Amino acid sequence: MTGGSRGIGAAICRRLAAQGDRIAIHCRSTVAAADRLRSELDGTGHIIVAADLEDTDSISPLVDTVVADLGGIDVLVHNAGIFVNHPVVTTSFDEWITSWRQVLDVNLISGAALAHRVVDHLVHRPEGPEGGRIVVVGSRGAYRGEPNAVAYGASKAGLHSMAQSLAVSLAPHGITVAAVAPGFIRSDLSDGVLAGPTGDAIRAQSPFGRVGEPDEVAAAVAWLASPDAKWATGTVIDVNGASYLR
C-alpha cells in the first residue's frame, strides 16, 4: 500500500487489515504516523516501508523488502500521489516543467515501476500468479480536468489508462488490474480548504451536499482487491458522489 500512512491510504490499510490481510504500509517520511496506524490495525505482522517514490531506484528494494518480510505480495495498491498547483498562465516555463516531472514521477512513473516489479514477483513465484491484484487510485480530475494542476489530472488519466492496458495484458496470468477515481475527499490535508471560503462550493459539487470520506474510497478498493471482483478487471470505479458523471 503506497501512501498508506494517512488519509485514503490509511483507510484502505484499515479495511484490508480487517479482512485479514497483512499490510505493508508505505510512506515517504511520515514514519511516526505509519507506526501509529500499524498499532491500530486488526491482525498482526504488518510492516512499514519508507521510500521516496520519485526516485525509481527505490522501487526494486522496496518490493524486495516487502516480499522478504511478508513472504510475498498478493495485492498492490498504488495510492501515493502529490498535487501541485501550477496554472499555465502564471507559472514560469522552468517551474511548469519541474512540476510536470515531479508529479508524473510520483503519481504515474512510480506506479508503472511498482506494477512491473510486483508482476515479475507474481509471475515467477512458485505458486504462480493466480489471484494477484493491482488497484490504482486515480481521480475524477482525469475526466473533469484540473485547470490549476494540469500535471495532476494528466497523471491520473495515465494511471487509469495504465490499469486498463495492464488488465488486458495480465488476464492470461490470472492477475486483475483496476482503478478507482475519487472526487474530493475529506482528509487532514483538505480540512483547511473545506473550512475556507471555497468549502461550500466544493461540497455543492455533489448532490449529497458533502465531500467523500476516505472509507468510502477504501470500500471500493477492498472490493476490487477481492476475488469477487475478478470480472471487473479493467474497470475504473467513480467514487465521487455524482459530482462528476461520464
Side-chain angles (χ1 to χ4, degrees):
M1 157 56 63
T2 67
S5 64
R6 59 188 182 183
I8 293 173
I12 296 170
C13 288
R14 291 189 179 95
R15 176 75 66 146
L16 294 178
Q19 296 179 176
D21 293 334
R22 286 189 299 155
I23 311 299
I25 308 167
H26 160 265
C27 63
R28 185 180 65 175
S29 58
T30 54
V31 176
D35 193 49
R36 285 193 298 273
L37 173 64
R38 178 172 59 174
S39 70
E40 299 167 359
L41 295 181
D42 292 340
T44 59
H46 311 299
I47 65 170
I48 297 169
V49 285
D52 182 358
L53 298 185
E54 192 173 355
D55 177 11
T56 53
D57 288 339
S58 71
I59 301 297
S60 288
L62 172 65
V63 173
D64 290 345
T65 297
V66 175
V67 170
D69 289 357
L70 295 186
I73 298 173
D74 297 308
V75 178
L76 165 66
V77 180
H78 179 52
N79 167 71
I82 58 173
F83 185 98
V84 176
N85 277 304
H86 58 139
V88 64
V89 173
T90 57
T91 301
S92 71
F93 179 77
D94 287 345
E95 291 173 326
W96 174 257
I97 296 301
T98 296
S99 296
W100 271 92
R101 287 177 173 154
Q102 182 183 23
V103 172
L104 290 179
D105 280 348
V106 175
N107 294 7
L108 180 58
I109 302 302
S110 71
L114 283 160
H116 184 279
R117 303 319 300 148
V118 170
V119 167
D120 183 70
H121 162 69
L122 289 169
V123 169
H124 294 105
R125 62 181 179 176
E127 62 271 34
E130 186 64 35
R133 304 282 184 263
I134 298 174
V135 184
V136 300
V137 178
S139 171
R140 72 173 180 185
Y143 306 110
R144 181 176 179 266
E146 293 289 351
N148 293 320
V150 183
Y152 177 84
S155 71
K156 295 300 187 176
L159 275 179
H160 296 172
S161 180
M162 182 189 80
Q164 293 180 320
S165 295
L166 288 177
V168 177
S169 63
L170 295 175
H173 299 281
I175 301 169
T176 67
V177 190
V180 295
F184 203 104
I185 303 297
R186 183 193 61 78
S187 71
D188 57 339
L189 296 178
S190 66
D191 283 346
V193 175
L194 292 172
T198 61
D200 287 342
I202 293 171
R203 285 182 283 271
Q205 291 171 1
S206 166
F208 289 101
R210 66 173 179 87
V211 299
E213 293 292 326
D215 198 54
E216 292 173 313
V217 180
V221 171
W223 180 71
L224 288 173
S226 74
D228 292 339
K230 184 173 184 177
W231 211 240
T233 189
T235 195
V236 180
I237 296 181
D238 294 320
V239 189
N240 65 42
S243 64
Y244 183 77
L245 303 175
R246 60 186 176 92

